[in-house]
Amino acid sequence: MSDKQLNSDNIVLLKIHRNSSYELSQTIQNFNKMIIKEIEPTTKNINENIFDGDLSIIINELINLIFKGLNEGKDEEILKHHVLNYINNYKIISQEIYNWLSNNQNNSNSIYLLGYFIYYGIGTDSNKQKAFELYHKAAALENSVAQLVLIDAYILGKGVYKNYNLAFELSKKLADEECVCGINSLGYCYEEGIGTDINDQKAFELYQKAANLGDSNGIYNLAYCYYYGIGTDVNNQKAFQLHQKAANLGLHYAQYNLALKYENGDGVKKDIDKAIYWYKKSAEQENKVAQHKLKVLLKE
């Protein structure tokens, strides 16, 4: 999300609020352990090859797949595609998982995942209102994935009415729990004045903390701060280094902006080949602007 438009003449670092970590941090590893403990196997068969105990593991892995995708800032359609591919690799009909989830609403992970299936119409008809009811229910049960989704929804007004106060409260709660995604999101709240007063210094400090924990979006947002002097002095060299690091970690918006830098020679020697390389990397992740830029450069 950004309040500035990207264009081919000027470098504009894209500001984001998504909770993120390309590598699984210790916080996320601990969260995964929580998921494993939460899902208990039962005895009912899902089909002749997959038993409930096996399906519980699959549910766990699907939750982790979604959580990791959210952390990486993946496009929602790409993430949905990964989920469907994962299901297909196990040769399970998505409706079977949906039915199992519907009949096993005894923990927050199953509640959230059922909401995910309903939101995207996986194994059932899409019903976004019902999906968000389940997200809220899971979030009330302290489900971190559901809480991350709701932060995004409350800020963007996606599926729910915008509610900056709740976005701030959830971000602060997760940050207080040392969830790296919440730390980054709380930084965005302070930078933009979402549910709180604007405080550039706090935003910078939170981005720095998230970046130090290996959070790719925290690294990217920290680069943004150095580039524009938000909560710190302008330092283009530091901004470029951090921006490069975020791009290397796979953030498509960082890859796009890095390509833009190389194309225009902003803070780095102009290099069209490197610009094409990074536009391609971003385009492969369905970044539409990068796809357009790549077509234009390849035609020249």
Side-chain angles (χ1 to χ4, degrees):
M1 187 179 74
S2 174
D3 58 358
K4 295 181 173 64
Q5 296 296 316
L6 298 172
N7 59 69
S8 60
D9 298 318
N10 300 294
I11 298 299
V12 178
L13 293 183
L14 179 68
K15 286 196 288 188
I16 55 170
H17 66 274
R18 187 173 299 281
N19 313 288
S20 66
S21 176
Y22 186 80
E23 302 278 344
L24 292 183
S25 67
Q26 185 61 48
T27 301
I28 296 173
Q29 291 175 32
N30 291 338
F31 173 68
N32 290 344
K33 292 176 184 177
M34 176 200 76
I35 294 173
I36 293 170
K37 289 180 180 178
E38 187 179 25
I39 299 179
E40 296 294 335
T42 61
T43 57
K44 179 183 176 183
N45 291 350
I46 189 70
N47 60 36
E48 62 180 8
N49 296 317
I50 303 295
F51 294 93
D52 243 20
D54 298 322
L55 191 62
S56 294
I57 295 173
I58 292 171
I59 297 301
N60 171 50
E61 292 177 352
L62 280 172
I63 287 284
N64 289 336
L65 177 65
I66 294 169
F67 189 61
K68 187 171 184 287
L70 291 173
N71 291 332
E72 294 173 2
K74 287 192 181 300
D75 177 85
E76 63 180 83
E77 287 301 318
I78 291 180
L79 182 53
K80 176 186 173 184
H81 183 69
H82 289 334
V83 169
L84 293 175
N85 279 344
Y86 182 91
I87 294 171
N88 291 333
N89 287 340
Y90 273 94
K91 295 181 171 55
I92 304 175
I93 298 173
S94 58
Q95 188 174 357
E96 291 180 320
I97 300 181
Y98 169 78
N99 291 338
W100 186 91
L101 289 168
S102 297
N103 294 322
N104 290 271
Q105 288 289 283
N106 51 7
N107 62 70
S108 67
N109 294 313
S110 294
I111 293 169
Y112 166 75
L113 194 58
L114 180 63
Y116 186 90
F117 272 49
I118 292 175
Y119 185 91
Y120 290 105
I122 301 174
T124 185
D125 294 331
S126 176
N127 186 328
K128 290 181 170 55
Q129 181 178 350
K130 177 62 175 177
F132 271 94
E133 290 174 3
L134 290 166
Y135 290 163
H136 280 96
K137 185 177 179 180
L141 294 172
E142 304 298 326
N143 186 283
S144 297
V145 187
Q147 290 171 346
L148 293 177
V149 170
L150 287 179
I151 290 172
D152 190 67
Y154 284 137
I155 291 176
L156 298 175
K158 184 177 180 181
V160 295
Y161 288 111
K162 287 184 180 181
N163 192 322
Y164 288 169
N165 289 333
L166 286 178
F168 176 79
E169 289 173 9
L170 282 174
S171 297
K172 189 175 187 306
K173 177 183 180 298
L174 290 175
D176 288 344
E177 295 170 357
E178 294 298 310
C179 173
V180 66
C181 311
I183 293 168
N184 179 68
S185 186
L186 186 60
Y188 183 83
C189 288
Y190 277 117
E191 183 188 349
E192 292 296 308
I194 294 173
T196 187
D197 294 332
I198 290 176
N199 189 322
D200 289 345
Q201 185 61 40
K202 280 189 177 180
F204 174 79
E205 291 172 357
L206 286 162
Y207 289 150
Q208 191 170 51
K209 183 175 182 180
N212 289 339
L213 289 171
D215 181 76
S216 56
N217 279 328
I219 293 168
Y220 183 73
N221 287 338
L222 190 61
Y224 184 96
C225 289
Y226 278 117
Y227 191 84
Y228 287 108
I230 297 173
T232 187
D233 295 331
V234 171
N235 187 328
N236 288 333
Q237 182 178 4
K238 184 70 173 177
F240 181 84
Q241 291 171 350
L242 289 166
H243 203 179
Q244 177 86 57
K245 186 174 182 180
N248 286 335
L249 289 174
L251 293 180
H252 67 86
Y253 28 81
Q255 293 168 344
Y256 172 85
N257 277 309
L258 191 61
L260 202 57
K261 281 178 173 288
Y262 277 117
E263 181 184 3
N264 294 328
D266 182 357
V268 67
K269 184 178 179 180
K270 187 172 182 177
D271 191 323
I272 297 300
D273 288 338
K274 286 185 178 179
I276 290 173
Y277 172 83
W278 287 111
Y279 280 137
K280 184 177 180 181
K281 283 287 188 181
S282 183
E284 288 171 352
Q285 297 192 67
E286 303 301 324
N287 184 307
K288 304 301 181 184
V289 185
Q291 290 172 349
H292 173 73
K293 290 289 295 184
L294 187 62
K295 289 180 181 178
V296 171
L297 285 181
L298 291 177
K299 287 180 180 178
E300 293 180 351

